[in-house]
Amino acid sequence: MAGQGTPATALLAKRKVPYTLHSYDHDPRHESFGLEAAEALGLEPARVFKTLVAEVDGALAVGVVPVTGQLDLKALAAALKGKKARMAEVAAAERATGYVAGGISPLGQKKRLPVVIDASATAFDTVFCSAGRRGLEVELSPSALAELTGAVVAPIAG
């Protein structure tokens, strides 16, 4: 794969955070980007996290949950001390993050959004999330992910 550079990998390099990049051939016909990554890389799906953009009380926010689960919108709102949450429009998510749906990374987003990482991430030494492009995953410690994104860690997966 040509150049692996994305805003996410640039942030990791700039902050000197230990990470490993994993690339695979993305199949556009696959129904789930996250499950595709887990299958292609031979990973336990619970260690692979998807980045979902939602609106909490009208403001965009990010939920990072295992690819095997769903984002619990009520739990996301509660974690951010909000009242109501709903999934964001894809176009709004892409504009705010600078990434294409299916390749949205919680790292290096164009606009810094509040991030909540599901508490299940803390059960692993390392987790995987999008590195900013379909077919490219970054492996790093959950604590580094939380620190780099300024995330709240809370049970938000349903």
Side-chain angles (χ1 to χ4, degrees):
M1 176 179 273
Q4 307 264 315
T6 67
T9 58
L11 175 67
L12 290 162
K14 180 180 174 190
R15 298 283 291 274
K16 296 181 174 42
V17 173
Y19 70 95
T20 306
L21 276 184
H22 301 270
S23 62
Y24 61 92
D25 291 326
H26 165 62
D27 179 354
R29 296 173 308 227
H30 205 288
E31 291 182 17
S32 166
F33 296 113
L35 288 175
E36 176 192 26
E39 291 166 11
L41 298 172
L43 300 170
E44 178 186 345
R47 281 183 68 201
V48 181
F49 285 72
K50 57 187 171 185
T51 306
L52 301 171
V53 181
E55 279 184 29
V56 176
D57 296 340
L60 293 179
V62 174
V64 181
V65 298
V67 299
T68 53
Q70 298 291 322
L71 175 60
D72 179 333
L73 291 166
K74 281 186 178 177
L76 177 68
L80 293 173
K81 304 196 182 345
K83 292 184 179 0
K84 204 169 154 189
R86 67 182 183 93
M87 292 306 295
E89 295 291 328
V90 172
E94 291 179 340
R95 254 192 324 274
T97 64
Y99 293 117
V100 175
I104 294 177
S105 176
L107 300 163
Q109 296 181 353
K110 192 162 73 175
K111 183 177 178 196
R112 188 153 179 147
L113 301 174
V115 176
V116 181
I117 300 170
D118 185 63
S120 68
T122 61
F124 303 102
D125 290 336
T126 60
V127 293
F128 294 75
C129 64
S130 175
R133 184 167 51 234
R134 295 172 187 165
L136 192 62
E137 293 284 305
V138 62
E139 177 183 4
L140 73 167
S141 73
S143 59
L145 180 60
E147 184 180 325
L148 287 168
T149 58
V152 172
V153 177
I156 58 164

